[in-house]
Amino acid sequence: MTPVRDVVAVVVPVTGPRAAWGALVPPEVAGDDGVRLLDDRADPARSADLAAELARDTHVHAVVGHFSSLGARRALESYGRSGAVRVSLPLASAPDVTVHHQDRRVGVVAPMPSDREQVAAVRRHVAEQGGDAVAVVLSEHGALPRLWTEAGGRVVTPAEAAAGSEEHVVVLGELDATRAAWSTLSALVRAGRRVVLSDDAWVGAAELAHDAGGVGVDVVTTQPDPGAIVRAACEHARASLRAGCGASGFADSWSLPPARWVVTDAAGACG
């Protein structure tokens, strides 16, 4: 008997340092009987283990999630071997994941622009504002530190950034690490420097955006914004389940316009 694929799995960081991204999953999706919500904690090893299980599960039609690019990369190996599970990676931005933008051969949708483009957007922003920039790496998760240096950027410690004179200080890290270092970073803002938070370094945290009245804090986000992309990915997978889409139909039915990185005033980004 042909197995009935009647489930959409949503694999997101419900807990852990990237849990703020997992909170973007709409409550009505998490509570749907046809949705299986799984916590990968943005841990690449756990993502790989869950992907291997889901790839073997004959009830799973599609998977949405793996918000860590490292986890998404490892998960794709299992889904690719399966050939039967459709995959949507709404927030994975590693260059070797985003090349799958709408891959109809294997049924993968990866709508985010790459982290290489994020670095380019920050460097353009700094050039347009005038002055120069250094980056501080608060946590080593992801490819941004390497891509920043490959693009010719300089990386310093938070103490070195505080002692320096560069107008812009770009923060590469995760939200928990940003919060832990915020007293040092906000002191830079009050001293007239401009702090730029990468997407992982702020995740829409209003208290960071509005510190010092929001003056001097810029953030990297996408248009459409990450929440809209996650909502669209969940609805797309559920619609694909109802329609019984194959690999090509899953990829071809993704309709959200390509996302792009933007750097904007933090207070305005949070509203």
Side-chain angles (χ1 to χ4, degrees), residues 33 71 74 99-100 112 138 168 214:
D33 288 341
R74 294 184 63 176
V99 294
H100 291 284
M112 282 287 277
L138 301 182
H168 297 81

mmCIF file of all heavy atoms in Angstrom, residues 33 71 74 99-100 112 138 168 214:
data_model
loop_
_atom_site.group_PDB
_atom_site.id
_atom_site.type_symbol
_atom_site.label_atom_id
_atom_site.label_comp_id
_atom_site.label_asym_id
_atom_site.label_seq_id
_atom_site.Cartn_x
_atom_site.Cartn_y
_atom_site.Cartn_z
ATOM 1 N N ASP A 33 -3.379 20.255 13.740
ATOM 2 C CA ASP A 33 -3.241 18.806 13.906
ATOM 3 C C ASP A 33 -2.393 18.175 12.802
ATOM 4 O O ASP A 33 -1.817 17.096 13.005
ATOM 5 C CB ASP A 33 -4.620 18.139 13.920
ATOM 6 C CG ASP A 33 -5.393 18.433 15.200
ATOM 7 O OD1 ASP A 33 -4.750 18.826 16.194
ATOM 8 O OD2 ASP A 33 -6.632 18.282 15.190
ATOM 9 N N GLY A 71 22.676 23.744 10.387
ATOM 10 C CA GLY A 71 21.737 22.643 10.493
ATOM 11 C C GLY A 71 21.046 22.356 9.176
ATOM 12 O O GLY A 71 20.831 21.193 8.808
ATOM 13 N N ARG A 74 23.281 20.320 6.798
ATOM 14 C CA ARG A 74 23.364 18.899 7.132
ATOM 15 C C ARG A 74 22.032 18.193 6.891
ATOM 16 O O ARG A 74 21.995 17.039 6.457
ATOM 17 C CB ARG A 74 23.808 18.734 8.584
ATOM 18 C CG ARG A 74 25.241 19.238 8.817
ATOM 19 C CD ARG A 74 25.725 18.999 10.224
ATOM 20 N NE ARG A 74 25.787 17.575 10.560
ATOM 21 C CZ ARG A 74 26.257 17.119 11.710
ATOM 22 N NH1 ARG A 74 26.742 17.975 12.612
ATOM 23 N NH2 ARG A 74 26.276 15.831 11.962
ATOM 24 N N VAL A 99 21.605 28.664 -2.791
ATOM 25 C CA VAL A 99 21.658 28.358 -4.226
ATOM 26 C C VAL A 99 20.464 27.494 -4.643
ATOM 27 O O VAL A 99 20.148 27.392 -5.824
ATOM 28 C CB VAL A 99 22.966 27.629 -4.623
ATOM 29 C CG1 VAL A 99 24.161 28.533 -4.425
ATOM 30 C CG2 VAL A 99 23.138 26.331 -3.843
ATOM 31 N N HIS A 100 19.799 26.882 -3.661
ATOM 32 C CA HIS A 100 18.638 26.033 -3.957
ATOM 33 C C HIS A 100 17.354 26.848 -4.093
ATOM 34 O O HIS A 100 16.270 26.249 -4.085
ATOM 35 C CB HIS A 100 18.446 24.997 -2.844
ATOM 36 C CG HIS A 100 19.510 23.951 -2.801
ATOM 37 N ND1 HIS A 100 19.554 22.912 -3.699
ATOM 38 C CD2 HIS A 100 20.566 23.784 -1.980
ATOM 39 C CE1 HIS A 100 20.595 22.136 -3.423
ATOM 40 N NE2 HIS A 100 21.226 22.652 -2.380
ATOM 41 N N MET A 112 15.883 32.892 1.301
ATOM 42 C CA MET A 112 16.704 33.956 1.876
ATOM 43 C C MET A 112 17.841 34.355 0.951
ATOM 44 O O MET A 112 18.396 33.513 0.235
ATOM 45 C CB MET A 112 17.304 33.504 3.201
ATOM 46 C CG MET A 112 16.342 33.557 4.362
ATOM 47 S SD MET A 112 15.973 35.234 4.931
ATOM 48 C CE MET A 112 17.371 35.544 6.006
ATOM 49 N N LEU A 138 30.810 38.122 18.521
ATOM 50 C CA LEU A 138 30.388 37.753 19.868
ATOM 51 C C LEU A 138 30.141 36.263 20.005
ATOM 52 O O LEU A 138 30.131 35.728 21.104
ATOM 53 C CB LEU A 138 29.125 38.534 20.255
ATOM 54 C CG LEU A 138 29.252 40.055 20.246
ATOM 55 C CD1 LEU A 138 27.942 40.693 20.690
ATOM 56 C CD2 LEU A 138 30.399 40.505 21.150
ATOM 57 N N HIS A 168 31.676 53.063 12.672
ATOM 58 C CA HIS A 168 30.704 51.973 12.713
ATOM 59 C C HIS A 168 31.319 50.729 13.357
ATOM 60 O O HIS A 168 32.439 50.345 13.015
ATOM 61 C CB HIS A 168 30.235 51.605 11.304
ATOM 62 C CG HIS A 168 29.516 52.717 10.589
ATOM 63 N ND1 HIS A 168 30.182 53.743 9.957
ATOM 64 C CD2 HIS A 168 28.190 52.953 10.416
ATOM 65 C CE1 HIS A 168 29.296 54.569 9.417
ATOM 66 N NE2 HIS A 168 28.082 54.112 9.689
ATOM 67 N N GLY A 214 17.056 54.655 20.408
ATOM 68 C CA GLY A 214 17.195 54.105 19.066
ATOM 69 C C GLY A 214 18.236 54.823 18.230
ATOM 70 O O GLY A 214 18.572 54.384 17.139
#
